[in-house]
Amino acid sequence: MKKILTVASVCAIALASCNKDNVGPNSDLNAGLPNKPQATIPTDAAGIITKTTLSADTVWKIDGVAFVKPGATLTIQAGTYITSGVTKAYNDQITGLTQNIKGVLVVPKTAKLIANGTAAAPIVFTSPNAAGSRNPGDFGGVVLLGNATTNQASTKRIEGIPQPVGVDVTYGGTNAADNSGSLKYVRIEFAGYNLTADNEINGLTLGGVGTGTTLENIQVSWGKDDGFEFFGGTVNAKYLVALSNDDDDFDFDHGYTGTIQYALSLKDPNSTNSTSSGSSDSNGLESDNEGTAPYAATPKTRPVLKNFTFLGIKDVTVASSKLKFGNRWRRATEYDIQNSIIAGYATGAAFQDGATGTFTGNVVHAYTAAFSGATPAGNQTNVSTDAAAYLKLAGGVNIFYPTATLFNPAFLRPLSTSPAYGNGTTTYSGAFHPTTAPWTATWTQFDPKNY
């Protein structure tokens, strides 16, 4: 253990040689937007985008809310940066209130978004501000709406989004294989709006999105609400990163039934966190079947999750005040989570309101209790307030300030002395294989100096 910590300390100092995992050739990651011409994405009076391609030679700005034309496809080239432009006022047809919004891209039913970056040239949705002055809420977010199954009425409107004439902002239907496009190697940074109670815009919002859609290598960071929220749908995903988001990193509702493999959730002691009745309401994961008892709508929300890593906060006092649960399964949701790591929360996983399912092959570290509401069998648990127990699962390093200027995701590979290591080859828990390079290499951004 001491040897590993020594190596980590050296890497924290020798940034140029040890932080290759978060340095990409696309641009200086601390420089904010690239030095390219800027232009506003053209739209008609209703906010419908009139272009079919956004090229990488331009930084594109979204004024207010921009909608891909129903039935059309918007293609974003690899290496393109998209940011927020002018704030626009909208009459919220749900609340009747006027909302000021900027920088939201909406892909309605029948429309498609093709945003395929590469590891060397990711597509980046981010703040328009310079490094050092960027904040959650600088950018609006990305919203995909589809015709896949949910347990809600087919006319359910997605929250937080105005509905202009000629655009359908409802989600859900009967086509489980619905295709809303493809997102690969995409970062969404400093996004999110808390408009009113239960009326928010997340980093990436997915409403009724189907299995024909591709979601791979996506990072949502420094968000003002949830990182990823799935409102029903059947879409599968892999290689997801949620970093330093205010509320839940992964949120499942309204009958979502897809499979997600290889995902990382990282909480930041320096970020803000959502509260409910004066207490923290920020979880690594939250899953609900629906919001009204007896929560009996079908199909039941049942995400299948494999090889997740949920890391809270190293300091037990900070973790206990800023965070709630590593996993929160409630309101009759079903679940299937396996071969995953939860660490750095006061309570690892909570099972509430009749939640049922399979929770096996996981490694759970907690400061107070591994589980609340149930004690599922077939998992390894360690309840300890000793930070060393957390660091053992977090790769042996203090992830955020003040000891590391940059975070290297290579350190998240389980240590050889960790119970998450398994047999080191075919069986392991968590998002990263113990002996191979992390899939986060080159395209992700973990630098806290983005603030």
Side-chain angles (χ1 to χ4, degrees):
M1 184 67 171
K2 290 181 179 179
K3 183 177 180 181
I4 296 292
L5 288 172
T6 300
V7 172
S9 300
V10 171
C11 284
I13 296 171
L15 300 178
S17 62
C18 292
N19 262 309
K20 294 179 181 179
D21 286 316
N22 44 347
V23 176
N26 193 44
S27 65
D28 177 359
L29 293 178
N30 288 323
L33 298 173
N35 185 21
K36 296 178 181 179
Q38 297 190 12
T40 299
I41 298 175
T43 63
D44 64 15
I48 298 173
I49 297 171
T50 57
K51 288 182 68 68
T52 58
T53 301
L54 301 182
S55 57
D57 58 2
T58 301
V59 174
W60 295 97
K61 298 184 291 184
I62 300 175
D63 287 349
V65 181
F67 301 86
V68 180
K69 183 178 180 180
T73 298
L74 175 66
T75 299
I76 303 177
Q77 294 181 349
T80 301
Y81 277 67
I82 302 97
T83 190
S84 54
V86 174
T87 300
K88 291 188 175 181
Y90 297 90
N91 179 46
D92 189 317
Q93 295 170 337
I94 295 177
T95 65
L97 301 174
T98 298
Q99 307 288 2
N100 297 311
I101 305 175
K102 62 179 177 179
V104 178
L105 177 63
V106 179
V107 184
K109 290 179 177 181
T110 74
K112 290 185 177 67
L113 174 64
I114 305 298
N116 291 334
T118 66
I123 293 167
V124 182
F125 297 84
T126 193
S127 166
N129 299 327
S133 61
R134 289 174 278 188
N135 295 287
D138 285 347
F139 180 76
V142 179
V143 180
L144 269 62
L145 304 176
N147 286 292
T149 51
T150 76
N151 62 21
Q152 301 291 296
S154 60
T155 55
K156 182 77 173 181
R157 279 192 54 186
I158 197 68
E159 62 185 43
I161 301 300
Q163 180 164 312
V165 175
V167 177
D168 181 2
V169 295
T170 65
Y171 63 92
T174 60
N175 183 10
D178 193 41
N179 184 356
S180 295
S182 177
L183 277 69
K184 295 182 178 180
Y185 294 102
V186 171
R187 297 205 313 263
I188 303 171
E189 303 169 345
F190 306 102
Y193 281 100
N194 294 319
L195 300 172
T196 56
D198 299 318
N199 189 30
E200 304 100 2
I201 299 174
N202 310 288
L204 179 59
T205 301
L206 302 142
V209 177
T211 57
T213 308
T214 299
L215 301 176
E216 297 179 5
N217 298 91
I218 302 171
Q219 179 178 16
V220 180
S221 304
W222 304 291
K224 200 168 184 177
D225 196 64
D226 295 331
F228 299 84
E229 183 154 13
F230 296 76
F231 292 94
T234 55
V235 65
N236 303 314
K238 58 183 177 180
Y239 306 122
L240 306 182
V241 178
L243 166 68
S244 192
N245 294 297
D246 178 273
D247 197 12
D248 307 316
D249 284 336
F250 296 90
D251 197 338
F252 305 102
D253 307 280
H254 297 168
Y256 172 71
T257 57
T259 298
I260 304 174
Q261 186 166 21
Y262 307 116
L264 171 63
S265 161
L266 276 175
K267 293 298 187 183
D268 183 351
N270 299 280
S271 70
T272 61
N273 289 105
S274 61
T275 60
S276 178
S277 300
S279 299
S280 173
D281 197 32
S282 180
N283 307 287
L285 172 156
E286 182 174 272
S287 185
D288 303 305
N289 191 49
E290 58 174 320
T292 305
Y295 320 118
T298 58
K300 288 288 188 73
T301 301
R302 186 181 180 273
V304 178
L305 310 180
K306 304 176 182 180
N307 295 99
F308 271 59
T309 294
F310 298 93
L311 294 179
I313 295 174
K314 179 182 71 70
D315 186 285
V316 58
T317 302
V318 177
S320 298
S321 63
K322 291 184 67 69
L323 306 178
K324 199 168 185 72
F325 302 114
N327 281 194
R328 189 179 195 185
W329 304 97
R330 64 176 187 171
R331 294 175 178 169
T333 187
E334 296 179 352
Y335 53 87
D336 183 346
I337 179 168
Q338 53 194 278
N339 299 330
S340 296
I341 296 172
I342 304 171
Y345 288 80
T347 301
F351 305 93
Q352 304 170 325
D353 310 319
T356 59
T358 302
F359 189 99
T360 59
N362 304 302
V363 179
V364 181
H365 159 271
Y367 296 121
T368 303
F371 304 114
S372 173
T375 304
N379 305 282
Q380 299 181 64
T381 61
N382 182 349
V383 178
S384 172
T385 57
D386 182 359
Y390 167 76
L391 291 175
K392 193 173 184 181
L393 292 174
V397 294
N398 184 6
I399 292 175
F400 285 103
Y401 316 106
T403 61
T405 305
L406 295 176
F407 166 63
N408 186 340
F411 291 137
L412 283 173
R413 286 177 286 184
L415 302 183
S416 60
T417 55
S418 169
Y421 202 92
N423 65 18
T425 54
T426 59
T427 301
Y428 66 97
S429 296
F432 302 99
H433 190 280
T435 59
T436 60
W439 46 264
T440 47
T442 74
W443 64 276
T444 52
Q445 168 60 280
F446 292 90
D447 184 354
K449 290 194 293 185
N450 268 300
Y451 285 104

